């Protein structure tokens, strides 16, 4: 009888311990998944973080002097967002403004300032471009990547300036060349688009 009573006690303990409760690991895993569904964090990142300004003063071999000043437009940026885990990353790529001044024989022949609106018009970036065209979305998403003087010796009576705009987080870019002659007249030509 004692063996029967002992066996009954063992069976009772075995059945009560297997009541189907979740393990601590399962409970933690489910709790984390529920947390991810209900809580969202947002991180804003600005590139560049603070105001940035750069000036270049170039005396060319053909007698032209070119001054280019680029500076961050603190009120105009392109925003990209992506969600990773529970964090919504908001990437703000600031647009840049730039000023170009060209002198010849100590006389200013060209002096212009460009912002995003003026660049869109000059480079033919507009919202009416069809999807799939080379410059589609450049009006809204492209930011200045580089601007530099091109000291090509074959152009003796003009200045060449290469300007590159690109869409961040993609491999899309467009390079334009600005020609400024010795009378201060300018012309912009698209050189390459990817």
């Amino acid at each position: 009888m004692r063996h029967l009573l002992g066996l009954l006690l063992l069976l009772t303990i075995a059945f009560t311990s297997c009541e189907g409760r979740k393990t601590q690991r399962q409970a933690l895993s489910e709790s984390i998944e529920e947390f991810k569904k209900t809580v969202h964090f947002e991180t804003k990142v600005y590139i560049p973080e603070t105001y940035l300004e750069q000036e270049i003063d170039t005396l060319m071999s053909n007698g032209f002097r070119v001054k280019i000043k680029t500076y961050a437009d603190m009120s105009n940026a392109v925003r990209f967002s992506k969600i990773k885990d529970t964090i919504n990353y908001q990437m703000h790529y600031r647009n840049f403004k730039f000023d170009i001044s060209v002198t010849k024989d100590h006389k200013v022949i060209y002096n212009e300032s460009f912002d995003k609106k003026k660049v869109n018009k000059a480079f033919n970036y507009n919202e009416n471009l069809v999807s799939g065209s080379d410059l589609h979305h450049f009006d809204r998403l492209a930011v200045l990547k580089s601007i530099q003087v091109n000291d090509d010796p074959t152009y003796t009576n003009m200045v060449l300036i290469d300007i590159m705009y690109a869409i961040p987080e993609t491999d899309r870019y467009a390079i334009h060349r600005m020609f400024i002659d010795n009378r201060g007249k300018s012309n912009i030509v698209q050189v390459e688009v990817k």
Side-chain angles (χ1 to χ4, degrees):
M1 180 81 161
R2 279 185 159 180
H3 292 298
L4 191 56
L5 195 55
L7 185 58
L8 186 61
L9 181 63
L10 251 142
L11 286 174
T12 306
I13 291 172
F15 282 124
T16 57
S17 63
C18 294
E19 60 188 53
R21 283 192 276 175
K22 296 177 188 171
T23 64
Q24 285 182 343
R25 187 178 192 151
Q26 288 173 328
L28 179 61
S29 178
E30 288 178 10
S31 178
I32 289 171
E33 290 303 317
E34 187 63 31
F35 176 77
K36 284 183 179 180
K37 291 178 185 174
T38 60
V39 177
H40 298 284
F41 296 103
E42 186 171 286
T43 301
K44 291 184 180 184
V45 178
Y46 287 89
I47 301 173
E49 281 186 50
T50 59
Y51 180 77
L52 181 68
E53 181 176 303
Q54 183 178 15
E55 280 190 63
I56 297 170
D57 190 353
T58 306
L59 182 58
M60 298 176 59
S61 59
N62 57 9
F64 288 95
R65 182 178 197 144
V66 182
K67 292 182 184 181
I68 301 174
K69 177 181 174 183
T70 58
Y71 45 99
D73 186 349
M74 301 304 282
S75 62
N76 189 346
V78 176
R79 182 177 61 103
F80 287 87
S81 64
K82 61 182 166 186
I83 297 174
K84 184 177 179 186
D85 295 329
T86 61
I87 302 172
N88 182 0
Y89 292 95
Q90 299 286 324
M91 303 296 289
H92 297 266
Y93 294 90
R94 297 189 197 276
N95 279 303
F96 281 82
K97 296 179 180 180
F98 57 93
D99 303 331
I100 299 174
S101 176
V102 178
T103 59
K104 176 77 171 174
D105 300 324
H106 305 291
K107 180 182 172 193
V108 177
I109 60 170
Y110 185 86
N111 191 20
E112 287 289 328
S113 295
F114 292 85
D115 60 4
K116 181 63 174 162
K117 185 176 180 181
K118 193 169 183 179
V119 165
N120 283 347
K121 185 175 181 185
F123 293 2
N124 201 24
Y125 300 157
N126 63 60
E127 61 187 35
N128 298 330
L129 296 173
V130 295
S131 179
S133 69
D134 290 339
L135 299 175
H136 185 62
H137 290 310
F138 269 71
D139 60 314
R140 292 183 301 110
L141 302 177
V143 295
L144 180 68
K145 271 306 214 199
S146 71
I147 182 168
Q148 62 186 14
V149 177
N150 183 339
D151 195 9
D152 187 340
T154 57
Y155 293 92
T156 57
N157 58 354
M158 66 177 41
V159 172
L160 281 67
I161 300 173
D162 293 333
I163 304 166
M164 178 180 183
Y165 269 79
I167 297 179
E169 301 183 13
T170 70
D171 60 351
R172 296 185 60 209
Y173 65 88
I175 300 173
H176 288 75
R177 182 165 293 151
M178 177 183 279
F179 297 88
I180 303 170
D181 67 16
N182 57 4
R183 293 183 311 261
K185 300 233 186 250
S186 67
N187 185 28
I188 298 173
V189 176
Q190 181 178 311
V191 177
E192 183 180 349
V193 176
K194 179 180 176 194

